[in-house]
């Protein structure tokens, strides 16, 4: 809908701000909920308060940095860039708080609050986001709705909780951060690899090019909806018997391969036959989707495998994978500058595939240890 109402350039501006904010916010978030859960499981009832304090400080630091940077740009007659930096910084600051509150809520057992928080955020993007765009077809109102949705969902979930104790100690903060950062390296690298292509295009290509890619990427990534469901199944440890674990993993893998392959074929046929009639102002999208699909498919299998790796306690392995993924993602900047959207799509497909193969190999190694074969 944003692409339809705003065209390639407007869609590109929105996509860049959202991608940049989410990357910065994900980096700053530091997976603090992991440390909170570990501390609470060891009897530290103050841990949620510690985590919230740390998330708030990180969020405030990001916001202040964006204000200073945008003020410098404004003083040097770069008003448009200054506004972009400020909105991105505000978004990143809210993403940090939003991620911590919702993830901590989920980790500590409030599944209902977690689901409702995400539902509030999603509904606000559609209502009033789309009606406002129909009346005011510009980028700014939609970004205001997006910022409001982050704040509203975090506030709702926060108000549900009563586990924020009144005080904490510095030693608890350091221990919690240590637990969190070990797990964070494994997840943030993959997030950066998935989201950095839009940012790389945003700093090297016109907004219209960003807009085209930002439509193609989520279409190709629709298969990840299936992969995310299988990731939750793969993480479960309900089966204790070794042979039953092996049979379950093999059954889930076969079913996941079949479902994602069929969905990818449906996406490919649909985008080639129907998309030119839905958004004729984005003629490059079908080609980009076809380029992205192979890598996206492998990455989907890697997501399921990563859940198994985490479930088997492979924290060090997942951390190495995350660091390698983050380093590989830097390739997008020179590729975007040289070959634009098609180059980035090709690089993304290749890097998704390479990272996915690495994850699958690690998963296979850990599985052999677990199964004793």
């Amino acid at each position: 809908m944003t692409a339809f109402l705003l065209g390639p350039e407007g869609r590109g501006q929105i996509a860049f701000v959202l991608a940049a904010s989410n990357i910065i916010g994900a980096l700053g978030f530091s997976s603090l909920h992991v440390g909170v859960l570990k501390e609470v499981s060891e009897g530290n009832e103050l841990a949620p308060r510690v985590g919230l304090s740390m998330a708030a400080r990180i969020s405030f630091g990001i916001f202040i940095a964006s204000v200073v940077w945008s003020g410098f740009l404004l003083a040097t007659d770069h008003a448009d860039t200054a506004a972009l930096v400020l909105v991105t910084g505000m978004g990143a600051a809210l993403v940090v708080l939003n991620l911590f509150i919702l993830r901590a809520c989920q980790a500590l057992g409030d599944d209902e609050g977690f689901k409702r928080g995400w539902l509030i955020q999603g509904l606000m993007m559609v209502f009033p986001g789309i009606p406002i765009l129909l009346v005011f077809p510009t980028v700014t109102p939609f970004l205001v709705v997006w910022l409001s949705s982050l704040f509203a969902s975090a506030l709702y979930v926060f108000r549900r909780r009563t586990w924020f104790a009144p005080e904490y100690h510095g030693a608890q903060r350091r221990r919690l951060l240590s637990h969190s950062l070990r797990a964070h390296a494994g997840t943030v690298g993959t997030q950066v690899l998935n989201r950095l292509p839009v940012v790389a295009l945003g700093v090297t290509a016109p907004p219209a090019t960003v807009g085209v890619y930002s439509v193609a990427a989520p279409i190709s990534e629709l298969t990840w909806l299936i992969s995310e469901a299988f990731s939750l199944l793969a993480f479960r440890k309900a089966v204790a018997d070794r042979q039953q674990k092996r049979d379950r993993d093999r059954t889930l893998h076969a079913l996941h391969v079949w479902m994602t392959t069929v969905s990818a074929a449906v996406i490919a046929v649909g985008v080639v036959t129907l998309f030119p009639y839905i958004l004729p102002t984005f003629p490059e999208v079908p080609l980009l989707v076809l380029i992205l699909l192979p890598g996206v498919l492998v990455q989907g299998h890697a997501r399921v495998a990563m859940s198994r790796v985490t479930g088997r306690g492979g924290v060090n392995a997942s951390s190495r994978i995350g660091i390698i993924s983050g380093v590989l993602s830097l390739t997008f900047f020179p590729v975007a500058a040289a070959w634009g959207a098609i180059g980035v799509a090709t690089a993304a497909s290749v890097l998704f595939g390479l990272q996915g193969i690495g994850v699958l190999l690690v998963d296979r190694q850990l599985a052999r240890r677990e199964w004793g074969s």
Side-chain angles (χ1 to χ4, degrees):
M1 287 300 296
T2 54
F4 177 76
L5 294 172
L6 297 176
E9 184 169 347
R11 167 65 194 177
Q13 292 172 346
I14 286 178
F16 177 79
V17 171
L18 267 63
S21 296
N22 279 306
I23 287 177
I24 297 170
L27 288 168
F29 160 54
S30 303
S31 294
L32 291 172
H33 67 295
V34 175
V36 167
L37 178 60
K38 183 172 179 61
E39 289 289 298
V40 169
S41 67
E42 295 176 355
N44 180 9
E45 296 181 357
L46 298 175
R49 175 74 180 187
V50 178
L52 178 64
S53 172
M54 295 173 67
R57 294 183 185 194
I58 294 169
S59 175
F60 184 70
I62 292 173
F63 174 69
I64 292 299
S66 68
V67 170
V68 173
W69 189 7
S70 61
F72 172 77
L73 292 170
L74 192 62
T76 55
D77 295 327
H78 293 87
D80 291 341
T81 306
L84 186 67
V85 167
L86 183 60
V87 173
T88 301
M90 292 172 61
L94 284 172
V95 165
V96 170
L97 287 175
N98 184 278
L99 282 176
F100 170 75
I101 292 174
L102 267 68
R103 293 296 183 185
C105 171
Q106 181 193 35
L108 295 174
D110 188 4
D111 291 333
E112 191 65 28
F114 175 77
K115 289 187 290 187
R116 289 184 182 181
W118 279 112
L119 181 62
I120 289 171
Q121 188 172 332
L123 288 178
M124 284 189 66
M125 295 285 280
V126 180
F127 309 103
I130 300 304
I132 286 176
L133 271 185
L134 289 169
V135 179
F136 306 102
T138 57
V139 171
T140 301
F142 188 81
L143 290 177
V144 171
V145 171
W146 169 64
L147 293 172
S148 302
S149 72
L150 291 171
F151 178 78
S153 63
L155 180 63
Y156 168 79
V157 175
F158 173 74
R159 288 175 65 86
R160 286 175 61 91
R161 304 306 304 170
T162 58
W163 33 252
F164 292 107
E167 58 184 68
Y168 60 91
H169 304 286
Q172 295 172 345
R173 184 167 60 243
R174 290 189 295 271
R175 189 170 60 245
L176 189 151
L177 184 61
S178 174
H179 293 323
S180 301
L181 289 179
R182 290 187 64 202
H184 189 55
T187 58
V188 76
T190 300
Q191 293 181 38
V192 170
L193 184 65
N194 295 340
R195 290 171 172 163
L196 201 62
V198 172
V199 177
L201 281 173
V203 299
T204 58
T209 302
V210 183
V212 170
Y213 184 89
S214 71
V215 172
I219 291 175
S220 65
E221 293 164 4
L222 285 172
T223 59
W224 288 350
L225 295 173
I226 298 171
S227 299
E228 290 296 337
F230 276 85
S231 295
L232 295 175
L233 291 173
F235 188 73
R236 294 182 64 184
K237 298 182 180 179
V239 181
D241 182 76
R242 181 177 297 175
Q243 184 61 42
Q244 286 181 322
K245 279 186 177 182
R246 180 186 299 185
D247 293 342
R248 183 198 63 180
D249 286 350
R250 288 176 175 174
T251 300
L252 288 177
H253 176 71
L255 186 58
H256 179 248
V257 169
W258 179 80
M259 291 183 68
T260 53
T261 302
V262 171
S263 66
V266 172
I267 291 170
V269 172
V271 79
V272 171
T273 57
L274 300 178
F275 193 86
Y277 299 99
I278 299 173
L279 279 177
T281 55
F282 291 73
E284 305 93 337
V285 166
L287 175 60
L288 294 177
V289 171
L290 294 178
I291 294 173
L292 285 165
L293 271 176
V296 166
L297 271 178
V298 179
Q299 178 71 196
H301 299 313
R303 288 182 169 217
V304 180
M306 183 66 88
S307 289
R308 287 195 295 263
V309 169
T310 304
R312 292 179 174 123
V315 176
N316 292 333
S318 63
S319 296
R320 288 195 297 270
I321 292 168
I323 292 170
I324 293 171
S325 300
V327 173
L328 288 175
S329 65
L330 298 177
T331 309
F332 289 125
F333 287 97
V335 170
W339 296 291
I342 290 180
V344 167
T346 304
S349 191
V350 171
L351 292 180
F352 286 173
L354 290 175
Q355 190 249 24
I357 292 171
V359 175
L360 292 170
L361 290 174
V362 171
D363 177 50
R364 183 179 179 86
Q365 182 182 18
L366 293 177
R368 286 179 173 177
R369 292 180 185 174
E370 182 180 64
W371 297 339
S373 61

